[in-house]
Amino acid sequence: MPTTPRTIARGPLRSVLVALLGALVPLLAVTVLTAPAATARPAKAAAALTEVTAFGTNPSNLQMYLYVPDNVTAHPAVVVAVHYCTGSGPAMYSGTEWASLADRYGFVVVYPSVTRASKCFDVSSPQALKRDGGSDPVGIKSMVDWVTRTYSADTSKIFATGISSGAMMTNVLLGDYPDVFAAGAAFAGVPFGCFATTNGSEWNSECANGTVIHTPQEWGNLVRAAYPGYSGPRPRMQTWHGTEDDVLRYPNFGEQIKEWTNVLGVSQTPAATDSPVSGWTRTRYGSTGDRAPVEAISVQGVGHNVYSSGMAARALTFFGLDSSGPAPQPQPGACKVTATTNAWSTGLTGSVTLTNTGTTSVNGWKLGFTLPSGQTITNGWGATYAPASGSVTATNVAYNGTIAPNGSVTIGYQANHSGNSAAPTAFTLNGTACT
């Protein structure tokens, strides 16, 4: 159980000078980050920020801070909110709206806090970039496990978010623990593996300057190498970046899109593009709804301090935590399907796009199809697949269960074949034949 609670006051946050990772390297000039401003929130007598000790394996001596709202649900969702360089868990608590949103929706917030001198998270060492390899990700996973045990948390609703160094850690957590996290929201970060070093340095100038460029497949391979052999669902990613970021430069935004669209097996061509706020360009990949596999928001004319009040609520929508009620039930719907395969000697990858051609939303779907003889699915994304051959049913995962009228969702799989590498046929949506 938590130690005696220590209340941390929340209110409007003053701009503070935050020396970022650059201070770690003599050749790098010190940069300045303004801490995020938060909307004032009335003080509460009961719920308070609490430090938890002895929460489990913690190789890098992280501190764990926890916020549990008075109205916490019976099996709450968990949001891990990761701070920026020279920040702390209490600063993240004070400077963002996550605790206020927890009060409203009943989820639990974990605020990891670095104790090393830089107050930056380790996103560069070989230990950090491997599942259970040691360093910060292991300690954060222990925090999640502690909350899951203590509050009977819903293990299908574990999320990560962070700012700057915390955004980089968000990418790392989703790569190291795809079986733990359902989605992440990264504010001014870099792709998983971009900051990798082998000389003990926490800083990678090439990545920070936006000169580390890879193909989508190469980025995806870095993520997959963090947990070799994993074939389950992958977490969704929302990424935010200012076009004038001079600390973690803007090309990192596009590289993250390349990485996570590849990991999730969706097209790099946006399924939807809009501008929800003046100066923002939002692109969604793999589907058009609020819980697309990948969502990217580019903020015009803004520097490294991209996070501002109101953005956490949009991340919460992406997570799917801003609504309540019974789970959607599968229903029939008019549909069309396009399917393609890309084959090599004895294997192939398949991509299937399902479009709702009806006039009402499909809430929960099962897509049936027939694989050609000799094909066996070995890995899939965007859905769960059973059985692996013959007449297969692909069932939606948490993030893409709703398809709006004229909306689409793209799923994919890898398969072995014995000579016939054709695309599947005979598609049905919740029992209704598709064109």
Side-chain angles (χ1 to χ4, degrees):
M1 291 300 294
T3 58
T4 302
R6 179 163 62 91
T7 302
I8 307 295
R10 279 183 281 151
L13 187 67
R14 296 190 303 261
S15 294
V16 296
L17 295 178
V18 179
L20 297 182
L21 291 161
L24 301 172
V25 178
L27 297 178
L28 190 68
V30 175
T31 56
V32 177
L33 172 66
T34 302
T39 303
R41 176 180 173 275
K44 291 186 63 179
L49 188 66
T50 302
E51 183 175 2
V52 178
T53 58
F55 50 82
T57 305
N58 185 22
S60 54
N61 195 34
L62 298 178
Q63 291 175 288
M64 174 183 175
Y65 292 90
L66 185 71
Y67 183 77
V68 181
D70 292 334
N71 65 331
V72 63
T73 59
H75 299 286
V78 179
V79 173
V80 179
V82 193
H83 67 73
Y84 42 87
C85 277
T86 78
S88 66
M92 195 71 174
Y93 166 80
S94 300
T96 65
E97 303 95 330
W98 285 107
S100 296
L101 292 167
D103 287 339
R104 183 173 179 183
Y105 295 106
F107 58 86
V108 173
V109 191
V110 177
Y111 299 94
S113 199
V114 169
T115 57
R116 66 176 60 88
S118 67
K119 298 298 176 72
C120 300
F121 285 91
D122 176 13
V123 295
S124 56
S125 74
Q127 292 78 19
L129 298 174
K130 180 180 179 182
R131 177 185 178 84
D132 296 336
S135 196
D136 296 347
V138 171
I140 294 173
K141 167 64 160 49
S142 294
M143 298 177 194
V144 171
D145 291 343
W146 187 94
V147 173
T148 299
R149 293 191 305 268
T150 306
Y151 293 95
S152 299
D154 185 341
T155 56
S156 71
K157 296 181 179 179
I158 310 294
F159 304 92
T161 186
I163 301 169
S164 189
S165 178
M168 293 192 275
M169 178 52 72
T170 297
N171 278 265
V172 169
L173 290 172
L174 269 58
D176 285 356
Y177 295 104
D179 54 333
V180 174
F181 293 94
F187 295 86
V190 304
F192 177 100
C194 185
F195 242 61
T197 60
T198 56
N199 61 0
S201 173
E202 294 179 53
W203 183 261
N204 184 316
S205 296
E206 290 77 13
C207 178
N209 290 330
T211 61
V212 176
I213 307 298
H214 289 304
T215 66
Q217 185 68 30
E218 289 169 341
W219 280 124
N221 288 343
L222 288 176
V223 173
R224 288 182 283 269
Y227 187 4
Y230 177 73
S231 60
R234 294 277 179 175
R236 298 176 300 118
M237 173 59 85
Q238 182 190 65
T239 182
W240 302 68
H241 224 97
T243 61
E244 303 304 315
D245 194 325
D246 60 353
V247 177
L248 301 173
R249 293 188 181 274
Y250 187 66
N252 285 300
F253 177 66
E255 296 304 294
Q256 286 179 87
I257 295 171
K258 288 160 62 176
E259 180 169 74
W260 291 104
T261 52
N262 179 266
V263 168
L264 288 160
V266 299
S267 172
Q268 282 190 268
T269 302
T273 301
D274 64 0
S275 182
V277 172
S278 177
W280 295 11
T281 300
R282 178 173 63 187
T283 47
R284 288 168 166 167
Y285 303 83
S287 69
T288 60
D290 287 336
R291 285 181 266 177
V294 178
E295 181 173 278
I297 301 94
S298 172
V299 185
Q300 183 65 37
V302 173
H304 189 61
N305 192 32
V306 69
Y307 179 86
S308 63
S309 179
M311 289 182 176
R314 291 182 179 273
L316 196 75
T317 297
F318 179 74
F319 293 165
L321 296 182
D322 59 353
S323 60
S324 59
Q329 298 300 310
Q331 61 189 53
C335 50
K336 71 175 182 180
V337 172
T338 57
T340 59
T341 58
N342 182 19
W344 57 94
S345 56
T346 60
L348 60 85
T349 57
S351 179
V352 178
T353 298
L354 167 65
T355 301
N356 174 14
T357 58
T359 58
T360 60
S361 293
V362 174
N363 294 314
W365 51 264
K366 293 180 182 292
L367 180 67
F369 57 86
T370 301
L371 284 179
S373 177
Q375 290 187 19
T376 302
I377 293 175
T378 58
N379 182 23
W381 46 90
T384 58
Y385 298 83
S389 60
S391 297
V392 178
T393 298
T395 303
N396 71 272
V397 291
Y399 65 78
N400 62 6
T402 299
I403 311 176
N406 298 315
S408 299
V409 62
T410 298
I411 62 175
Y413 58 89
Q414 186 170 340
N416 295 327
H417 70 83
S418 58
N420 185 350
S421 60
T425 57
F427 292 95
T428 61
L429 172 61
N430 297 337
T432 299
C434 297
T435 56

